Amino acid sequence: MKKSESVPLAREYSPSPVVIPLSLGPSGTRVFEGLAGEPNGFILKAHFFIQAGCFVRARLMLELVQELGEADEAVLVTLASLQIREGLITKAAQNLEPIRKGHSVYPQSLVCKAELERSLGGLERAMNFCNQHPDADLPEVKDHLCFLQSHVIT
């Protein structure tokens, strides 16, 4: 195939699942602050690995934080997004369960749930989730719907 020839595209192109970045508080400005044995140190290292594109290592760090009982809702959403990326759908769904509507990471959890729907049934299913959810008017959900729609080729 010559460089000038275009590759025929399917009706639906599905990019890699979205990774929800960690929400670091004001103390999380440096990658290796804290002691290596403390969960906060693991979270900062996971953030570093996400930034470097080492998603498996980041997932392993966050799973360790979860095993230590120190995973808050923000960690659970990021962990779920990494698990979806690796096809660990059941684990991801379990991590998204405890996130309640009033929590600050709730909009990101909806984006992650849309990604879960996409992994289970494709772009159309994810877009339906975003459109039909009671909180579809949240900016994060609208932005993610636009992102998904941008990958539908007609």
Side-chain angles (χ1 to χ4, degrees):
M1 180 180 281
K2 295 179 184 176
K3 286 186 179 182
S4 61
E5 293 179 17
S6 64
V7 177
L9 297 174
R11 168 151 167 52
E12 189 176 287
Y13 166 72
S14 191
S16 296
V18 172
V19 173
I20 310 292
L22 278 164
S23 310
L24 297 178
S27 65
T29 55
R30 286 185 229 57
V31 175
F32 292 105
E33 59 181 40
L35 300 173
E38 294 178 358
N40 190 31
F42 291 137
I43 292 169
L44 292 168
K45 287 176 182 79
H47 175 72
F48 171 76
F49 288 134
I50 290 170
Q51 296 296 326
C54 300
F55 299 119
V56 174
R57 287 184 180 190
R59 178 186 57 80
L60 292 172
M61 284 284 179
L62 295 180
E63 285 177 349
L64 183 56
V65 170
Q66 184 182 33
E67 286 176 25
L68 292 170
E70 297 294 327
D72 64 6
E73 288 83 354
V75 168
L76 291 176
V77 171
T78 300
L79 175 57
S81 72
L82 292 168
Q83 289 168 329
I84 291 168
R85 184 176 181 82
E86 292 183 48
L88 303 170
I89 305 305
T90 305
K91 287 183 178 182
Q94 290 169 348
N95 286 328
L96 292 173
E97 258 180 53
I99 296 156
R100 301 289 170 235
K101 187 172 182 169
H103 198 278
S104 62
V105 296
Y106 175 71
Q108 290 83 7
S109 74
L110 293 180
V111 170
C112 200
K113 286 180 181 180
E115 287 296 301
L116 187 64
E117 292 295 321
R118 180 162 65 123
S119 69
L120 293 171
L123 281 171
E124 186 175 350
R125 184 168 168 174
M127 288 187 294
N128 286 338
F129 173 83
C130 290
N131 275 325
Q132 296 170 0
H133 195 276
D135 295 316
D137 59 335
L138 289 172
E140 293 87 350
V141 177
K142 286 181 178 179
D143 290 346
H144 193 64
L145 178 60
C146 289
F147 167 76
L148 293 172
Q149 287 173 335
S150 72
H151 294 290
V152 175
I153 301 167
T154 54

